[in-house]
Structures are given as C-alpha cells and as structure tokens.
Amino acid sequence: MCGIAGITDKFTDFSDNLKVLSDMSKSLVRRGPDENGIFIDRDTALIHRRLVVIDRENGKQPMICGLRGERYVIVYNGELYNTDELRSELTAKGYAFKGHSDTEVVLKSYIEYGEDCPEKLNGIFAFAVYEVNSKRLFLCRDRIGVKPLFFSEFNGGLVFASEIKALLKSGKVKPEVDENGLCELFFLGPARTSGSGIFKNVKELKPGEYAVYEDGRLRRKTYFTLEAREFEDNEKTAIERTRYLLTDAVEKQLVSDVPLCFFLSGGLDSSIIVKTAANYYKKHNLGRVPTYSVEYRDNMKYFEKSLFQPTADVEFIKLMSEDTDSDHREIILDNSLLADALYDSVLARDLPGYVDVDSSLLLFCQEIKKDFTVALSGECADEIFGGYPWYHNREILFESCFPWSRSQDIRRSVLKDGVLRHGEEYVRQRYLDTVNSTDKLSSDSELTARMREMFSLNFYWFMQCLLERKDRCSMYSGLEVRVPFCDYRLVEYAYNMPWEIKALNGREKGIVRKAFEDVLPYEIAWRKKSPYPKTHNPQYMKICAKRVKKLLREKNALTELLSKDGIREIIEHPDEISSPWYGQLMKAPQILAYIIELDCWFKEYNVEIV
C-alpha cells in the first residue's frame, strides 16, 4: 500500500517548483514511509510514497514503460489479487516483466486494454497513469471503494491525491467549507455523500469509477455498479458458492513478501478469515497465524448487554484462538489515550470521523505496526450479507430514511436555532438519490426490491464510512489492512441473493453461517452479531465532557454554530438520548467526541466557512 498524488497545471513548470511537490509528498509520508519518488514532465508531476509489501526492487514508483511510441507513467496504491492470471494473459500477448510486482501488471494492463483495464482487475486500488506524449491522465478507483482518490479541478489544471491533506499542500485547494459541506458534517457525518470531499471544490472518485483528464477537460465514467440479475442457484449451491468465493478471496489475499497478521474479534467474520488462513498456513507449513484483538482498560466492569451488543468478545476470542492455535496478542487501550487519539484520527481522515471507533483502531494499528506491515480484517460482511438489526426489523426496514440515523433531532439539538435550516431536507435528498438509483428487476417482490435498496444504502454509505476508517487509521501507522469480504465477486453474488437464502434459518448472515458451520466451532458460527468493541468506562464520558465544556467557552467559527444549551443537555442527561447519532455506537460520549473532532478540524486545517 502507498500514497499517491499528482498535479497538472498548464501555467506551471514543475522543474522550477519542486517545493510544492515535496510538500505534497511529505504530507503522505505515513502512507508510504519506506520509499518516495517524483516524475516531472514540465507542467505535470506524479508523486509516490511507498509502503513496501511486494517486490522491493522491481516495484519502485513512479514506474515508467515505453511502448509503441508512447511513454506511460504510473503511480499506484493498492493490491491486485489476480496478478498471476493477468501476468500470464499479458505474457501470452507478448509483454515481458522485470519482476513480480502488481504495479507492473496494472501498468501493462492499461497499456494493453486502455479504459477497459479496470474491468480486468480484482483488488483494492487507486492509481493514475500519465501518457507523456499525448498529455493524457487516467485516474481509477477500485470497484468497492476500499482505496481513496480525491481530486480538485482549477483554472488550468487538476490535482489529485490519496488524501485531502496533499491537495491542500498543492496550493490549489483552500480549506473552505460551504453550506453543503456543513450539512454533510452535521447531518450525515461521519458518513459523507459518495464523491464528496466536504471541503469546497474537493471531490472523490466514486467506487467503481475512472476519469480521464485531457485537453483541459475531465471526463468521468462508472465501470462498476450494483446490477440486478436473476439468481439462478438453489440453497445448496448458494452455500457452496458462498464458501468458495470467501475462501478464495481470503487465500488470494495471503500473498505478501512481508509477514501478515489477522484481526480477531471472536465474531463470525474475523473468525472465518482466521480459520481459513490457519488451514492455509497448515497446508503450506507456514507456522501459526498471528492474531490480534482489542479491549479497553476495565471495560468488563461496565459492560452492559444491549440489542446491538449482546455479548462481550473475550471468551469467543479465546475459543477461536485455541481452535486455530493462533499466536494471539490482546492490545488493551487506556481511556485517556483513547480520547487523546481523537485528534490524530482527525489528521488521519482530514475530517471529523467515527470518533473513538476511529481512535481505538488508530491506536490498535500503531501497536500492530511494531511487528507487522500487513493485516487482514473482517469488515463489510454485515453490509452485504444482512448482518445489521435494521435488515431484520420490518418496521425499520420499510422506514423511508437512513436506518442508522433515523432521526435528525439529536443532530439538530447541537445547533443554534436557524443554523443549516435545510439540513433535514439535504439528508432526505441524499437518501432518495440512493434508493431511486438502485437497480431492480421488474419481477422483484416488495421485500426483494426493498432489500436491494437497503443493500445499496449500506454499500454506498455505511460501508464506505467503515472502509474510510479502516484505510486512514491503518495507513496513518503505515499498516496495510486487507478486507476479503470486499471481493467484488462476493458483493455481486450477495446483491442478487434472495433474502430467504441470505438470511437462512432466519438469522443475520445465515448463508455465511451455514457455509462455514462445519469449519468453525459451533459457538462461533451461530454467535449473535456483536459490533466493533467500544469503551463502556464512564471515565471516557467524563474526559469528553470536560473537553467540550472548555471548547464551548471559546468564540470561533464552530462555536458560532453550536447550541450550548443543547450540548449541555447531552452532558447532563446522557441516558435520555433515544436514538444514536450514527449507527449503533454513537451515543452521548461519542457525540461529545464528535464535537471535539469538529473543533480540532476547524483549528488544525484553518477551515473557513464560505
């Protein structure tokens, strides 16, 4: 994994303006601490920061290839999981390869297939290819949106980067936010509209999208979307197919020139990955699989069962570690450090985010990085296989709103009267845009049609928020995290799977449970879903409340928007919040943490409201 950036500006000769390129590169050093490189062609420059995972010598970037009168230059961030197949295909067409890096395969795939190249790739990636002679720039993002690619157009050119901070260092993007951006932050955050970069004039390539910048014009095209098709498999075949696709996805993602490790929560998803890897390691005599789990200091003293978190993880982690004979390590996080890391998590995202769900992952990844560079994690199974409660509660399922943020009342309460008057309408339109663009079949029943809409909402919103969290918080420590459930073949298959098969035996992720029930311990295979662990320690609430009270005494752009009375109500009556701010985990402590992150963002990025 790496960080990439680039800029083309017809009014600038970058040979004489190296400082801006150096500043952009340095801003991405956490994504790529091992190597860096810059390619300059007068008014165009490509920048690369490298985290070495595969083929150190032959994978250096920017990578250049000359063929048939053209010079192609690539900067690439990601991992390709069908590298060997594509290399064989291209070799048969006459291409030669210097090494075994996936970068070289992606570059030569582009040379051979042009704009059809993305459809050939199975992986997580964002890359840019510059054709030197034709002055043509090609940008591309993976189908699922695991890897980021932001950009901004300006008079005379375009700038792009893996992270917004590099765009800001280019001098072509100002740290400004308009009313739309504020609506995103206060009424949708930590999620954001697909393609939005929150900052004014900052956009992001959407999942499954590429763009071509040529002759001063940008052309964007979607090459992958969720497509409704008839499901032709019966229940037995669906079980077999699900098991094959997931097993194959995990095994393909075990390729690395550096050691890998695995996140283990004791839940179904991470356990499938760990068990599949353990079987693979045993078959190939690779030793024990290293696993990691996260917990919070004194958390079990305060744990309370709930609909969303019915059981603690510790006993299930122990069971799974023993079953796979994993080399397991538990990382225990301190609540004060968890609050302190809120600030770093803003710097990692360049935006306010998923508060302690982010900061805990950031601290977790920092510890793992001391021993490993690559990890595998179980994200996204719930979104594509119906793991969340809102898939199963018919009242919520058919409610015309985002199911993880059904009421805007708590969000409205933290704002002064009259601020962002159209916030609710803004959210409503984003919701309608998503459901109205959902692909369906004329033969779909009411339930099937709604399940497709729910899949689409989760895929383009909730899942993207979690993927952004995983990418930024891991890469902030130079740790690459792979997500096998995001294999696009699995996503396509799940999108068209009938609900009665997907929710086999009336259970969330029933098809996945059934597919692996003879592989996993029974207690794991049929354990009720439990989300990413959060702190239950009241110390965390006290820390956040103290910090919010302090920032409310200041007078600045943020506090001019906030209702002090509304926020004090949250501090004084935390248990009276009837519905979370976002998802299952953002209640009173997390709402206060979000305000802390907003304050940090405004100050650290010198944000102006325009």
Side-chain angles (χ1 to χ4, degrees):
M1 293 298 174
C2 309
I4 66 173
I7 185 169
T8 180
D9 181 359
K10 69 179 182 180
F11 300 118
T12 301
D13 184 344
F14 287 105
S15 302
D16 300 323
N17 195 15
L18 294 177
K19 185 179 185 306
V20 68
L21 303 182
S22 176
D23 289 346
M24 291 174 68
S25 177
K26 288 176 183 176
S27 74
L28 296 172
V29 66
R30 285 181 171 273
R31 292 188 75 89
D34 298 333
E35 295 178 354
N36 67 89
I38 297 176
F39 170 87
I40 300 174
D41 178 39
R42 202 185 68 79
D43 63 357
T44 300
L46 269 61
I47 298 163
H48 191 260
R49 301 289 320 199
R50 189 179 183 199
L51 178 68
V52 176
V53 174
I54 296 175
D55 199 354
R56 175 181 284 273
E57 290 307 312
N58 297 296
K60 295 181 183 295
Q61 298 183 50
M63 184 178 288
I64 303 171
C65 179
L67 192 67
R68 296 189 288 270
E70 182 58 271
R71 290 178 72 211
Y72 301 87
V73 187
I74 188 172
V75 284
Y76 166 76
N77 164 34
E79 294 294 339
L80 193 63
Y81 302 129
N82 61 335
T83 300
D84 291 343
E85 297 93 321
L86 263 180
R87 186 187 291 112
S88 297
E89 184 178 314
L90 292 165
T91 299
K93 291 178 178 291
Y95 288 86
F97 292 86
K98 295 179 181 179
H100 64 276
S101 81
D102 51 351
T103 306
E104 189 176 11
V105 171
V106 173
L107 176 56
K108 289 176 179 176
S109 293
Y110 176 78
I111 294 172
E112 175 64 23
Y113 300 112
E115 292 183 26
D116 293 332
C117 161
E119 297 179 30
K120 290 280 187 179
L121 310 178
N122 180 3
I124 55 177
F125 52 80
F127 66 90
V129 177
Y130 176 60
E131 297 178 44
V132 177
N133 297 335
S134 61
K135 303 288 186 182
R136 186 174 188 266
L137 180 66
F138 180 83
L139 306 174
C140 185
R141 193 174 180 210
D142 67 73
R143 290 171 173 86
I144 310 303
V146 178
K147 290 289 129 184
L149 192 57
F150 294 93
F151 67 93
S152 182
E153 294 180 82
F154 56 87
N155 182 31
L158 175 140
V159 59
F160 69 89
S162 297
E163 295 180 3
I164 295 171
K165 55 177 63 71
L167 300 185
L168 295 171
K169 289 294 184 181
S170 73
K172 300 298 182 182
V173 176
K174 296 179 180 179
E176 298 175 337
V177 62
D178 58 17
E179 185 173 350
N180 283 350
L182 291 173
C183 283
E184 293 274 337
L185 291 169
F186 283 98
F187 286 93
L188 290 169
R192 56 188 170 86
T193 303
S194 183
S196 167
I198 308 298
F199 287 92
K200 186 180 179 183
N201 297 324
V202 172
K203 300 176 182 177
E204 186 177 23
L205 275 189
K206 297 178 181 180
E209 186 177 45
Y210 70 76
V212 177
Y213 187 77
E214 191 173 21
D215 298 326
R217 293 188 299 274
L218 184 71
R219 172 172 54 87
R220 299 169 68 176
K221 183 176 179 180
T222 299
Y223 70 90
F224 174 83
T225 190
L226 299 172
E227 184 178 337
R229 300 170 186 164
E230 292 288 351
F231 192 78
E232 298 179 351
D233 292 346
N234 59 28
E235 180 183 307
K236 180 176 182 295
T237 306
I239 292 168
E240 294 169 352
R241 182 70 175 162
T242 299
R243 180 166 170 172
Y244 164 75
L245 285 173
L246 188 47
T247 301
D248 187 60
V250 173
E251 291 182 350
K252 283 181 183 297
Q253 296 187 27
L254 298 177
V255 176
S256 174
D257 287 349
V258 296
L260 309 112
C261 67
F262 304 84
F263 292 4
L264 178 60
S265 70
L268 176 69
D269 314 327
S270 65
S271 296
I272 287 172
I273 292 171
V274 169
K275 183 66 174 183
T276 303
N279 290 342
Y280 183 92
Y281 273 41
K282 184 177 181 180
K283 180 179 178 181
H284 294 86
N285 298 313
L286 297 175
R288 300 167 70 196
V289 292
T291 56
Y292 285 86
S293 63
V294 63
E295 186 52 281
Y296 305 89
R297 194 167 307 283
D298 297 328
N299 215 31
M300 289 308 296
K301 289 182 183 178
Y302 306 101
F303 177 80
E304 293 182 4
K305 293 182 180 182
S306 70
L307 173 65
F308 293 121
Q309 200 148 15
T311 54
D313 290 334
V314 58
E315 291 302 319
F316 296 95
I317 292 170
K318 184 174 183 289
L319 173 62
M320 201 62 217
S321 179
E322 291 175 351
D323 180 77
T324 57
D325 188 31
S326 77
D327 178 11
H328 187 71
R329 306 164 210 187
E330 181 183 51
I331 294 173
I332 299 175
L333 303 180
D334 182 83
N335 286 277
S336 60
L337 293 180
L338 187 68
D340 290 342
L342 290 170
Y343 304 97
D344 271 351
S345 65
V346 172
L347 301 181
R349 273 206 192 213
D350 295 320
L351 294 167
Y354 213 164
V355 292
D356 47 86
V357 182
D358 281 1
S359 63
S360 61
L361 179 62
L362 188 145
L363 294 171
F364 185 45
C365 290
Q366 283 180 356
E367 291 301 309
I368 293 172
K369 175 61 178 178
K370 292 176 181 178
D371 299 304
F372 291 93
T373 300
V374 181
L376 269 69
S377 179
E379 259 79 8
C380 305
D382 294 304
E383 288 81 7
I384 67 174
F385 284 109
Y388 294 117
W390 49 72
Y391 276 101
H392 301 267
N393 183 319
R394 193 175 180 89
E395 181 181 339
I396 298 176
L397 176 66
F398 282 95
E399 200 170 4
S400 187
C401 63
F402 290 114
W404 50 83
S405 190
R406 296 162 62 201
S407 170
Q408 302 299 314
D409 291 349
I410 187 64
R411 293 171 180 267
R412 175 59 70 188
S413 74
V414 306
L415 293 170
K416 286 181 178 177
D417 290 344
V419 172
L420 302 178
R421 289 191 196 90
H422 306 296
E424 288 84 356
E425 290 85 350
Y426 187 90
V427 173
R428 176 68 180 163
Q429 191 57 54
R430 302 289 86 73
Y431 166 83
L432 291 174
D433 289 345
T434 307
V435 296
N436 291 340
S437 63
T438 299
D439 195 37
K440 304 168 188 172
L441 297 178
S442 59
S443 58
D444 285 347
S445 66
E446 180 188 24
L447 177 62
T448 299
R450 184 54 181 168
M451 282 300 181
R452 290 195 192 277
E453 290 175 352
M454 189 60 75
F455 190 112
S456 189
L457 289 166
N458 278 268
F459 180 84
Y460 287 112
W461 288 90
F462 205 80
M463 191 167 115
Q464 296 303 316
C465 182
L466 292 177
L467 288 174
E468 181 177 4
R469 161 186 175 259
K470 182 54 62 72
D471 175 80
R472 304 308 189 282
C473 294
S474 60
M475 294 304 294
Y476 194 72
S477 300
L479 177 72
E480 172 194 318
V481 178
R482 301 173 178 178
V483 279
F485 278 94
C486 283
D487 188 300
Y488 79 92
R489 301 170 301 166
L490 201 61
V491 171
E492 287 180 322
Y493 193 64
Y495 183 63
N496 291 293
M497 188 181 291
W499 181 245
E500 61 271 19
I501 294 180
K502 188 179 290 186
L504 212 56
N505 298 325
R507 288 296 306 273
E508 74 281 1
K509 296 180 288 190
I511 184 72
V512 181
R513 297 176 187 280
K514 190 67 177 177
F516 286 88
E517 69 174 353
D518 60 343
V519 177
L520 299 173
Y522 178 86
E523 299 93 328
I524 299 289
W526 295 100
R527 179 192 178 191
K528 187 172 176 59
K529 175 189 162 44
S530 187
Y532 180 84
K534 74 171 183 177
T535 181
H536 299 274
N537 195 319
Q539 180 192 9
Y540 181 71
M541 173 68 180
K542 292 177 182 177
I543 294 170
C544 289
K546 182 178 179 181
R547 295 184 185 185
V548 168
K549 288 176 182 177
K550 180 181 178 182
L551 73 86
L552 288 178
R553 291 195 290 268
E554 301 175 7
K555 187 171 183 179
N556 52 45
L558 174 62
T559 57
E560 286 299 300
L561 301 173
L562 298 176
S563 166
K564 293 181 182 180
D565 289 340
I567 294 169
R568 288 194 188 104
E569 186 70 17
I570 294 171
I571 294 173
E572 294 170 7
H573 305 285
D575 297 329
E576 293 183 12
I577 297 173
S578 58
S579 61
W581 178 282
Y582 182 86
Q584 307 130 303
L585 303 178
M586 287 186 74
K587 292 200 172 180
Q590 289 73 34
I591 295 169
L592 299 180
Y594 191 72
I595 293 168
I596 292 169
E597 289 201 339
L598 281 165
D599 180 64
C600 172
W601 183 68
F602 268 91
K603 290 174 179 174
E604 290 293 328
Y605 289 81
N606 297 310
V607 177
E608 293 185 21
I609 298 174
V610 295

